[in-house]
């Protein structure tokens, strides 16, 4: 009788059975590598920022060690650009042709073992938003074709639009000689890093005695509470996306400053990102000297709980979800006209902005009142009202804003 050969193949075992007349069948078991691939990332994907993929090849337990070259191929989707610097892994040699990145290694991956991880660094372009899906494959190592059905890995990641920092806001106030006025500023972090602050000023006329100091307003309420005013802010403040750094800038008017003298203060925020060059943000405060007999605005602030139909007072109570209304009453206590009136405030901590408005009717000599700076609804930050025209002696008015307690 002629010999007959039969082949039985599973995912990892190839059996060859040979039957000859009168001889017991013999089966030879042949183990072969069975490669798999996992794909992950240690970064978030933001337009304009670096990101990465981590690829790891594994040989299934109960198979055979790899023989020869193992190749991992990753075809990057549109919107991602390969960055050779820092890419690769121990024992791997990586190169790219356009969007196709190929990494090869001759290191043996034993059965049940994992090869060294591969890092694929990329930069994220605007056309990657709102998300990308990336698939990579592993091959080679003497893996038979029958075992290649599990050789790919896919990862889908969301892509955010470019994060930005903001620095708010400009200010302008009038004060008497020998007094001090305060300006509030808020740095909203959209990126991780550190931020430091400094001031420069130009006085007109150029007389000595103008000084400024920067303080950290830790509760972002626009005033210097407790120990906040005892030490100036120096050095960098570490920030993460979503953090706020609130400032109070103190402008000190010299006692000898003449009427209508000005000090133009430039407040600079120097942002030092975790990666990349420093970025500068600037705001401007203008202090004008009023009459020596008294000038500037007297401000009074009250709050009422609208949800609970409360009355306005300088202190109040609220529950999460309640709507609070803050009213700032301004009065010209000077004997002369006040112009260039700008009122600034910040939403309190643990509240979300709703709306801001000007009290009506306006004092007779004011032309208009506009909300020139305000946060997005549901966010927090600085609010600024700009009054055009004149605020005559003893005239008074008000501005207001509403927030919801978190």
């Amino acid at each position: 009788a002629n010999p007959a050969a039969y082949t039985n193949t599973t995912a990892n075992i190839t059996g060859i059975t040979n039957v000859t007349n009168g001889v017991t069948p013999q089966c030879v078991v042949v183990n072969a590598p069975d490669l798999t691939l996992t794909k992950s990332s240690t970064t978030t994907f933001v337009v304009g920022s670096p990101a990465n993929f981590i690829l790891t090849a594994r040989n299934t337990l109960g198979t055979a060690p790899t023989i020869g070259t193992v190749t991992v191929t990753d075809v990057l989707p549109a919107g991602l650009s390969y960055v050779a610097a820092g890419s690769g892994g121990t024992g791997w040699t990586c190169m790219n042709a356009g969007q196709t990145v190929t990494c090869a290694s001759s290191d043996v991956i034993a059965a049940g073992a994992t090869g060294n991880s591969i890092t694929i660094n990329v930069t994220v372009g605007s056309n990657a938003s709102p998300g990308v899906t990336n698939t990579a494959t592993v091959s080679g190592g003497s893996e038979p074709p029958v075992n290649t059905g599990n050789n790919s890995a896919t990862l889908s990641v969301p892509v955010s639009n470019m994060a930005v920092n903001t620095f708010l806001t400009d200010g302008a106030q009038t004060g008497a000689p020998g007094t001090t006025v305060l300006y509030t500023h808020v740095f909203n972090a959209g990126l991780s890093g550190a931020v430091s602050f400094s001031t420069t000023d130009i006085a007109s006329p150029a007389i000595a005695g103008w000084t400024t100091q920067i303080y950290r307003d830790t509760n972002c309420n626009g005033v210097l509470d407790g120990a906040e005013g005892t030490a100036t802010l120096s050095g960098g403040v570490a920030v993460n996306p979503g953090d706020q750094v609130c400032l109070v800038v103190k402008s000190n008017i010299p006692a000898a400053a003449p009427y209508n003298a000005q000090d133009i203060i430039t407040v600079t925020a120097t942002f030092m990102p975790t990666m990349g060059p420093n970025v500068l943000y600037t705001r401007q405060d203008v202090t004008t000297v009023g009459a020596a007999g008294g000038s500037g605005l007297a401000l009074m602030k009250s709050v009422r709980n609208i949800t609970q139909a409360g009355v306005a007072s300088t202190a109040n109570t609220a529950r999460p979800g309640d709507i609070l209304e803050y009213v700032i009453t301004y009065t010209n206590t000077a004997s002369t006209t006040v112009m260039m009136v700008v009122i600034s405030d910040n939403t309190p901590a643990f509240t979300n902005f709703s709306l801001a408005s000007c009290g009506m009717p306006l004092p007779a000599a004011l032309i208009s009142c506009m909300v020139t700076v305000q946060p997005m609804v549901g966010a927090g930050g600085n609010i600024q009202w700009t009054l055009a025209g004149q605020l005559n002696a003893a005239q008074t008015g008000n501005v207001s804003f509403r927030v919801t307690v978190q």
Side-chain angles (χ1 to χ4, degrees):
N2 292 325
Y6 303 90
T7 300
N8 175 24
T9 303
T10 65
N12 301 307
I13 301 173
T14 301
I16 303 174
T17 303
N18 184 268
V19 181
T20 307
N21 288 345
V23 180
T24 301
Q26 300 295 314
C27 181
V28 178
V29 177
V30 179
N31 287 341
D34 182 16
L35 295 172
T36 62
L37 188 67
T38 59
K39 188 180 189 70
S40 61
S41 178
T42 61
T43 61
T44 56
F45 284 66
V46 178
V47 173
S49 300
N52 68 33
F53 293 107
I54 307 298
L55 305 175
T56 306
R58 180 178 176 83
N59 193 7
T60 304
L61 183 66
T63 63
T66 61
I67 301 173
T69 301
V70 174
T71 301
V72 173
T73 303
D74 191 348
V75 180
L76 299 175
L80 302 184
S81 300
Y82 176 65
V83 178
S87 293
T90 303
W92 294 93
T93 300
C94 297
M95 61 185 64
N96 76 298
Q99 295 296 98
T100 301
V101 181
T102 304
C103 298
S105 174
S106 297
D107 291 350
V108 174
I109 305 177
T114 298
N116 292 319
S117 294
I118 304 168
T119 299
I120 304 295
N121 289 323
V122 297
T123 55
V124 184
S126 59
N127 56 332
S129 179
V132 292
T133 298
N134 185 213
T135 298
T137 59
V138 61
S139 61
S142 296
E143 180 186 34
V146 70
N147 287 352
T148 59
N150 56 355
N151 283 32
S152 65
T154 299
L155 182 66
S156 296
V157 294
V159 177
S160 303
N161 288 323
M162 184 179 296
V164 295
N165 301 316
T166 59
F167 188 36
L168 306 171
T169 181
D170 296 339
Q173 292 195 55
T174 301
T179 64
T180 295
V181 296
L182 303 179
Y183 298 98
T184 59
H185 298 278
V186 180
F187 182 86
N188 296 298
L191 302 165
S192 296
V195 61
S196 61
F197 303 92
S198 61
T199 61
T200 59
D201 67 294
I202 300 174
S204 177
I207 63 170
W210 289 98
T211 59
T212 57
Q213 294 90 36
I214 303 175
Y215 297 89
R216 176 82 181 268
D217 180 13
T218 54
N219 59 2
C220 293
N221 68 347
V223 296
L224 295 175
D225 301 315
E228 290 177 345
T230 59
T232 58
L233 178 61
S234 61
V237 178
V239 292
N240 292 306
D243 288 349
Q244 280 190 330
V245 181
C246 298
L247 309 177
V248 171
V249 175
K250 184 182 288 187
S251 172
N252 305 297
I253 304 172
Y259 179 67
N260 271 344
Q262 284 191 333
D263 191 35
I264 301 174
I265 305 164
T266 299
V267 185
T268 300
T270 302
F271 179 69
M272 297 151 281
T274 53
M275 294 180 63
N278 293 349
V279 183
L280 302 183
Y281 304 84
T282 60
R283 305 308 311 191
Q284 190 174 86
D285 300 324
V286 180
T287 301
T288 303
V289 180
S295 62
L297 294 176
L299 300 179
M300 184 179 70
K301 189 174 182 179
S302 64
V303 58
R304 70 184 181 101
N305 190 319
I306 293 178
T307 302
Q308 298 182 29
V311 296
S313 66
T314 56
N316 224 310
T317 60
R319 300 167 300 193
D322 282 359
I323 298 173
L324 303 180
E325 180 180 62
Y326 289 87
V327 177
I328 303 168
T329 301
Y330 54 89
T331 303
N332 181 7
T333 59
S335 58
T336 58
T337 296
V338 174
M339 302 179 67
M340 297 175 58
V341 176
V342 177
I343 301 173
S344 295
D345 202 352
N346 288 292
T347 56
F350 308 110
T351 65
N352 294 325
F353 175 76
S354 176
L355 61 88
S357 60
C358 297
M360 295 294 177
L362 295 175
L366 286 181
I367 299 172
S368 66
C369 172
M370 298 181 61
V371 181
T372 47
V373 175
Q374 60 183 321
M376 295 179 60
V377 173
N382 186 257
I383 310 165
Q384 181 174 297
W385 297 263
T386 299
L387 310 179
Q390 300 181 160
L391 185 64
N392 293 331
Q395 284 189 324
T396 186
N398 66 77
V399 296
S400 64
F401 68 95
R402 293 185 180 184
V403 294
T404 302
V405 180
Q406 295 177 356

